[in-house]
Amino acid sequence: MNQIPVSSPRLARSATSDVIVVGAGLAGLFTALKLAPHPVTVVSAARFGEGASSLWAQAGIAAALAEGDSPEAHAADTITAGAGIVDEKIALLLAREARERVEDLLRYGVPFDKDLEGRLTFSREAAHGKSRILHVKGDTAGRAIMHALMAAVRATPSITVLEGLAARDLALSDGRVAGLEVAPTDDATLARLILPASAVVLATGGAGQIYAITTNPREARGEGIAIAARAGAVIADAEFVQFHPTAINIGRDPAPLATEALRGEGATLINSRGERFMRAVHEDAELGPRDVVARAVYREVASGRGAFLDCRSLGDELALHFPTVYAACRSAGIDPAEDPIPVAPAAHYHMGGILTDAQGRSTVDGLWACGEVASTGAHGANRLASNSLLEAVVFGARVANDIAASLLTPLAARAEQESPAVGSGHDERLEQVVRRTMSAEVGVIRDETSLTKALGTILSLEPEAKGDQRLANMLTTAKLIAAAAFARKESRGAHFRSDYPVPDEHLAQRSFLTLNMANEIARVALEAPSRETRVRPRVVAMRGAALNA
Ligand SMILES: Cc1cc2nc3c(=O)[nH]c(=O)nc-3n(C[C@H](O)[C@H](O)[C@H](O)COP(=O)(O)OP(=O)(O)OC[C@H]3O[C@@H](n4cnc5c(N)ncnc54)[C@H](O)[C@@H]3O)c2cc1C
């Protein structure tokens, strides 16, 4: 691997290859490794080994490999969790390719937990019918997987990593990708630069940071979605944002996560009066579906009663089996063996994203996407826990295969011009306004009034984001999510509308939105909120391939 810090942007430009992967999380690194020995440039907003959700994954990766389990059973659980809109072919493909991809990870040196006879061990998680989660030393799966892949990338000379460089836009030529516009992540005063490329893979992760409370790292601003949408790409299922019910509420950004497994081990949810409020909400109490628990926690917090995860029954086991959670609590002066942990719902995972087909192709020529930024159809309205790491590697491999095949034919001309644009500085204050607006109006519980208000705020901030492409990208992604949520007049999975609280069978379809459609929805919402603006799912032509074939 060649590692180039952003202090030498010109060197960075000369070092780029035909294929650029944006993002150095699991999806990006896996794609780059699978493309070797073809030269690949990985652009990472953060330093190598930082700023990726993948590093923080606690539970592990789902794979139906245990005796008595099957890919069909895994796919069936995925389809049930997705609340009626999972693409079943994609769910099956995901579950079937888990074995090969786990074998890859083992080859890269991931130390998944094994029993004394050297066989992989599996744990069970909510909504999985079988024990099928591969983990590493309790809650450190993400870090272990990433460290193994980073070592593999370091040992691969065909991969160049440009650190501290953020993608801001795509350069297009005749509607096809010809390059990537980048800028130093933290210095908006430097001139932006176009890195020529004939194939760009967006693997920029989630969009949690457009919300005030999130478990996602600072870099997860949803910029990949905005970049793709501006180039004309179709964005799917944008309204479906999964809120984790138990982020540790200690005023830290991002909020540390108290993994669901704690509730599996017997931790309960109480309010400041000591009442176990989940008992009245769901028959499975704390082990109810993630979205149901998130709404109940939200209501307790909003009512002023507060919500706490009571882990006192776990005693010293917590420090032993959940070292990450224990360390987060201790750093805030909380001893979870003595004190209930304050929690709140936090934006955690985005089911929506750039619409991709089974090869990871977007609807724009030369643009692929994989990992959380993509919407493959595997998650529907609600992601099944631990399926996202699996999706990152399954589709990372598929994207690499597809690009490798397309490299056999000459790729389009690469952009050679340098962008004249100069950043005008980033407005942190406006970024916080966006985040607060999204949490308050497009959060765990939405309705027409709140969504209209959010769209109004987003549109009013857009002129102020001129020259501040990072903020503009956040606003674009926020608008796509709010517009899709406005248009879906029902509740389904993670999308809960208090004015339409039940699912509508006629709307049991994925949503497909372009930026123009989102602008139109926003315009209609602000002019006459009650007018019909249902997003009508459309079949989108995918360059010769049937959608989600
Ligand atoms: C706390 C936590 C726990 C989780 N636990 C689990 C779990 O146990 N199992 C599971 O399956 N899933 C889990 N998830 C979800 C899972 O971690 C993510 O969905 C997955 O890691 C996404 O991988 P990715 O490669 O797409 O994105 P990431 O790993 O987030 O990587 C994105 C990369 O893109 C870079 N980037 C972002 N924007 C730009 C830009 N504009 N320009 C350049 N680079 C950019 C980032 O710096 C980063 O390198 C968890 C998530 C969190 C936050």
Side-chain angles (χ1 to χ4, degrees), residues 283-546:
E283 56 188 12
D284 294 330
E286 284 83 1
L287 299 179
R290 190 176 266 188
D291 56 310
V292 175
V293 182
R295 284 195 292 280
V297 170
Y298 175 82
R299 287 194 183 100
E300 292 303 309
V301 174
S303 72
R305 289 186 292 274
F308 302 84
L309 189 66
D310 187 352
C311 301
R312 288 176 290 186
S313 63
L314 274 64
D316 294 340
E317 293 292 294
L318 190 136
L320 200 61
H321 295 298
F322 302 96
T324 311
V325 176
Y326 183 74
C329 290
R330 293 305 296 179
S331 71
I334 299 166
D335 178 357
E338 300 283 331
D339 313 305
I341 306 167
V343 291
H348 184 56
Y349 184 82
H350 193 197
M351 276 70 76
I354 303 162
L355 175 67
T356 55
D357 68 6
Q359 316 312 326
R361 290 179 180 207
S362 78
T363 51
V364 173
D365 260 348
L367 182 67
W368 284 257
C370 56
E372 193 169 333
V373 72
S375 182
T376 63
H379 306 300
N382 226 346
R383 173 192 64 128
L384 182 64
S386 292
N387 264 356
S388 33
L389 293 183
L390 178 62
E391 190 195 39
V393 289
V394 165
F395 282 89
R398 286 183 154 257
V399 164
N401 276 341
D402 198 46
I403 292 178
S406 65
L407 289 172
L408 298 175
T409 53
L411 289 163
R414 304 176 353 147
E416 286 299 343
Q417 78 275 26
E418 194 158 308
S419 168
V422 175
S424 63
H426 176 66
D427 194 329
E428 187 61 33
R429 186 187 57 84
L430 291 184
E431 180 168 324
Q432 296 309 325
V433 174
V434 181
R435 297 182 66 189
R436 281 198 300 274
T437 300
M438 290 301 283
S439 277
E441 320 294 356
V442 198
V444 181
I445 298 178
R446 304 110 184 237
D447 65 15
E448 185 162 293
T449 309
S450 74
L451 292 167
T452 305
K453 198 169 157 195
L455 287 166
T457 305
I458 291 164
L459 293 198
S460 72
L461 290 178
E462 278 182 336
E464 300 195 46
K466 288 230 155 37
D468 182 349
Q469 197 58 32
R470 174 167 134 189
L471 181 64
N473 283 343
M474 290 180 78
L475 285 166
T476 297
T477 300
K479 181 164 61 186
L480 285 155
I481 294 174
F486 183 91
R488 188 176 283 277
K489 296 183 184 340
E490 63 158 353
S491 290
R492 181 176 296 280
H495 168 71
F496 187 82
R497 293 265 312 234
S498 55
D499 47 351
Y500 296 93
V502 289
D504 176 346
E505 275 323 296
H506 303 293
L507 299 180
Q509 290 153 327
R510 302 181 65 198
S511 69
F512 302 118
L513 201 63
T514 60
L515 191 51
N516 285 343
M517 288 164 75
N519 284 329
E520 179 60 12
I521 289 170
R523 191 185 63 73
V524 171
L526 292 167
E527 277 173 12
S530 54
R531 252 176 64 185
E532 188 58 55
T533 51
R534 202 169 273 175
V535 176
R536 298 193 188 287
R538 301 180 315 159
V539 175
V540 184
M542 302 278 286
R543 291 200 317 280

Side-chain angles (χ1 to χ4, degrees), residues 179-231:
L180 180 76
E181 188 176 319
V182 294
T185 303
D186 293 321
D187 189 350
T189 60
L190 288 184
R192 295 202 289 262
L193 200 68
I194 289 183
L195 306 177
S198 352
V200 170
V201 182
L202 291 172
T204 49
Q209 283 282 336
I210 63 170
Y211 284 87
I213 303 182
T214 179
T215 60
N216 290 189
R218 288 292 291 155
E219 291 72 15
R221 298 189 180 94
E223 283 195 87
I225 292 179
I227 290 168
R230 221 175 10 256

